[in-house]
């Protein structure tokens, strides 16, 4: 079985198992694109269950991009205090809001190349934003996507960026934007690198 056929076989089973879940991931369901950018910056190394309520508190305090861009660092840090890497994230959140205002007139850019120039935004965040906010194709690679893809032999990679481009070679483009959600839910359900356990979860 070639890798594209392997991907399709695996993904269709995973999508059937996890695709209809109502579980909300941190980057999903925000009204404004800038909120999606900010939340995804905040979500690095943090659980969705932790990130979402903190983001809601942040946006209650700073409901507009302008208000967030003008926020005091200590005030944002106090809201993010229970998150991992809260100091770095507080700096990035404010700096990113300012950059979107100054460089893009308050409009979140729609290309990965532009998005990754924003403070705190890497390819994972950029791909999530273009797929979630603008309906474009992109593969958002987090630890779950990278782990499952390697364990099941879809790719042989060492970094998220390598994984992103390797998956582009084996996954038809129409599936790209769906990979992250399905694989993240699958990865949350089955931690670890046991191939048999990962595949068994698709049979139950």
């Amino acid at each position: 079985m070639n890798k594209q056929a392997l991907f399709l076989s695996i993904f269709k089973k995973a999508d059937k198992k996890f695709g209809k879940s109502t579980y909300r991931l941190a980057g999903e369901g925000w009204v404004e694109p800038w909120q999606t950018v900010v939340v995804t910056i905040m979500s690095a190394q943090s659980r969705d269950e932790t990130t979402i309520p903190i983001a809601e508190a942040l946006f209650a305090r700073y409901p507009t991009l302008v208000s967030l861009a003008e926020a005091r660092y200590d005030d944002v840090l106090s809201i993010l205090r229970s998150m991992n890497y809260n100091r770095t994230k507080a700096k990035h959140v404010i700096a990113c809001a300012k950059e979107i205002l100054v460089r893009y007139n308050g409009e979140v850019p729609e290309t990965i190349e532009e998005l990754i120039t924003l403070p705190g935004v890497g390819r994972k965040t950029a791909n999530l934003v273009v797929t979630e906010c603008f309906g474009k194709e992109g593969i958002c690679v987090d630890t779950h996507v990278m782990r499952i893809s390697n364990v099941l032999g879809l790719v042989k990679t060492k970094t998220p960026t390598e994984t992103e481009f390797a998956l582009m070679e084996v996954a038809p483009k129409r599936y790209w934007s769906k990979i992250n959600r399905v694989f993240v839910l699958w990865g949350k359900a089955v931690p670890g690198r046991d191939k048999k356990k990962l595949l068994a979860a698709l049979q139950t």
Side-chain angles (χ1 to χ4, degrees), residues 17 61-63 87 98 138 179 186 189 200:
K17 174 74 175 181
R61 177 77 177 271
Y62 305 105
R87 293 181 180 277
K98 288 179 179 177
I179 291 173
W186 185 6

Side-chain angles (χ1 to χ4, degrees), residues 60-96:
R61 177 77 177 271
Y62 305 105
T64 67
L65 184 64
V66 172
S67 62
L68 183 58
E70 295 176 348
R72 293 177 64 250
Y73 166 76
D74 288 344
D75 293 337
V76 172
L77 180 61
S78 70
I79 297 172
L80 273 56
R81 65 185 180 279
S82 61
M83 305 192 84
N84 295 326
Y85 308 108
N86 50 24
R87 293 181 180 277
T88 299
K89 289 177 181 179
K91 290 177 183 177
H92 282 160
V93 161
I94 297 169
C96 186

Side-chain angles (χ1 to χ4, degrees), residues 55-63:
E56 289 172 342
L58 182 71
F59 299 144
R61 177 77 177 271
Y62 305 105

Side-chain angles (χ1 to χ4, degrees), residues 16-70:
K16 184 177 180 181
K17 174 74 175 181
F18 298 105
K20 295 181 181 178
S21 171
T22 58
Y23 184 94
R24 183 186 179 190
L25 300 180
E28 297 173 341
W30 302 100
V31 175
E32 300 292 342
W34 68 267
Q35 294 176 323
T36 303
V37 175
V38 168
V39 173
T40 311
I41 292 171
M42 291 167 56
S43 70
Q45 304 297 316
S46 295
R47 293 168 57 85
D48 298 288
E49 299 88 343
T50 300
T51 304
I52 292 172
I54 294 175
E56 289 172 342
L58 182 71
F59 299 144
R61 177 77 177 271
Y62 305 105
T64 67
L65 184 64
V66 172
S67 62
L68 183 58
E70 295 176 348

Side-chain angles (χ1 to χ4, degrees), residues 116-136:
I116 60 176
T117 67
L118 296 172
V121 176
R123 292 193 66 88
K124 172 194 167 185
T125 297
N127 273 288
L128 190 143
V129 171
V130 299
T131 57
E132 184 72 17
C133 300
F134 305 119
K136 297 183 177 183

Side-chain angles (χ1 to χ4, degrees), residues 10-11 14 18 144 147-148 152 181-191 197-199 201-202:
I10 289 170
F11 184 80
F18 298 105
H144 296 295
R147 169 173 59 92
I148 291 173
L152 299 185
R181 176 171 175 79
V182 171
F183 277 30
V184 167
L185 294 175
W186 185 6
K188 286 177 176 287
V190 189
K197 286 184 178 179
L198 282 166
L199 292 174
L202 304 183

